[in-house]
Amino acid sequence: GNSVTQMEGPVTLSEEAFLTINCTYTATGYPSLFWYVQYPGEGLQLLLKATKADDKGSNKGFEATYRKETTSFHLEKGSVQVSDSAVYFCALNNRGSTLGRLYFGRGTQLTVWP
Amino acid sequence: NAGVTQTPKFQVLKTGQSMTLQCAQDMNHEYMSWYRQDPGMGLRLIHYSVGAGITDQGEVPNGYNVSRSTTEDFPLRLLSAAPSQTSVYFCASRTQGKNEKLFFGSGTQLSVL
């Protein structure tokens, strides 16, 4: 089946620290992989995506590389800011599954202190 | 550009009451969906629609009904609310083609007492 496992939170960091949020997946076929971010009181927004193995998605200083050999899509940022405090969701869309359906991880709460 | 609009933002119901969560999008997206978000559970798909007149069940459809009479609107109905339906509900619509992107509404926080 299709599933996403991401590291448990919450994650608390000081400003300018390095961030890694781990994400691994199980899928049949060739999924696309996504990271979504949810700021307090808002809906989810697409942060970045990768559609095939070895692709790197990047946006706002965040990066994630699609690793087929380790079935992973870890989110990284070299220097976090207070404004990055949010909940981050890893997700996959398996083209062989329900059209447009995203399978989400449980979310990781990130809090950045000044 | 309004995107995906959900109403209401907050709602409190008593067990057994019915209500409809509204969702509208102005991007002419064929695909629309409803998710619920519960602590530690991520988002789970309730129902989805691939176009007007076409709906199907997602992962957790029990207790919810949907219809899609127009491209723009995709309401979610709770016929007899239960405390287990206390959750945050998100409507989403999707672009077509290779650059697929899911657009989310801002959510409805529902409490069933």
Side-chain angles (χ1 to χ4, degrees):
Chain A
N2 301 296
S3 66
V4 175
T5 302
Q6 62 182 104
M7 67 184 284
E8 301 266 336
V11 174
T12 303
L13 295 173
S14 298
E15 207 165 24
E16 300 183 1
F18 183 84
L19 168 71
T20 300
I21 301 178
N22 290 338
C23 172
T24 58
Y25 68 89
T26 302
T28 55
Y30 303 95
S32 295
L33 301 174
F34 305 83
W35 277 100
Y36 278 81
V37 58
Q38 182 181 29
Y39 298 104
E42 299 182 9
L44 280 71
Q45 304 172 26
L46 178 64
L47 179 60
L48 54 85
K49 71 174 187 180
T51 58
K52 62 182 186 296
D54 299 325
D55 269 3
K56 178 185 284 188
S58 61
N59 186 25
K60 299 181 181 180
F62 291 90
E63 293 183 339
T65 301
Y66 189 143
R67 301 285 188 201
K68 189 177 179 182
E69 64 276 14
T70 55
T71 61
S72 65
F73 193 55
H74 305 321
L75 182 68
E76 296 181 337
K77 186 174 185 182
S79 177
V80 294
Q81 305 299 313
V82 173
S83 58
D84 294 327
S85 297
V87 181
Y88 292 81
F89 292 91
C90 186
L92 73 82
N93 177 358
N94 194 330
R95 298 183 197 89
S97 71
T98 302
L99 180 66
R101 175 176 176 176
L102 283 174
Y103 296 81
F104 285 91
R106 295 186 174 187
T108 302
Q109 171 77 55
L110 169 67
T111 301
V112 180
W113 295 100
Chain B
N1 188 359
V4 179
T5 303
Q6 285 185 240
T7 56
K9 291 187 75 66
F10 302 95
Q11 182 70 51
V12 179
L13 294 177
K14 294 181 180 178
T15 297
Q17 286 185 314
S18 63
M19 80 158 294
T20 299
L21 307 186
Q22 301 292 343
C23 176
Q25 52 93 7
D26 61 358
M27 297 173 283
N28 202 33
H29 291 164
E30 293 292 330
Y31 178 89
M32 296 184 73
S33 55
W34 277 101
Y35 288 85
R36 59 177 289 173
Q37 182 182 26
D38 301 294
M41 298 289 289
L43 276 77
R44 293 181 291 170
L45 182 66
I46 305 171
H47 285 283
Y48 67 97
S49 168
V50 298
I54 306 169
T55 64
D56 207 345
Q57 296 180 351
E59 185 181 356
V60 288
N62 292 342
Y64 307 94
N65 282 348
V66 292
S67 60
R68 185 90 180 274
S69 56
T70 66
T71 299
E72 293 78 20
D73 300 299
F74 189 45
L76 178 72
R77 297 184 184 87
L78 286 71
L79 298 179
S80 180
S84 61
Q85 293 177 305
T86 294
S87 186
V88 180
Y89 292 85
F90 288 99
C91 179
S93 69
R94 192 182 76 95
T95 56
Q96 300 268 20
K98 285 189 175 181
N99 288 323
E100 57 193 66
K101 183 176 178 180
L102 208 60
F103 292 83
F104 283 85
S106 58
T108 297
Q109 187 168 318
L110 175 67
S111 296
V112 182
L113 306 177

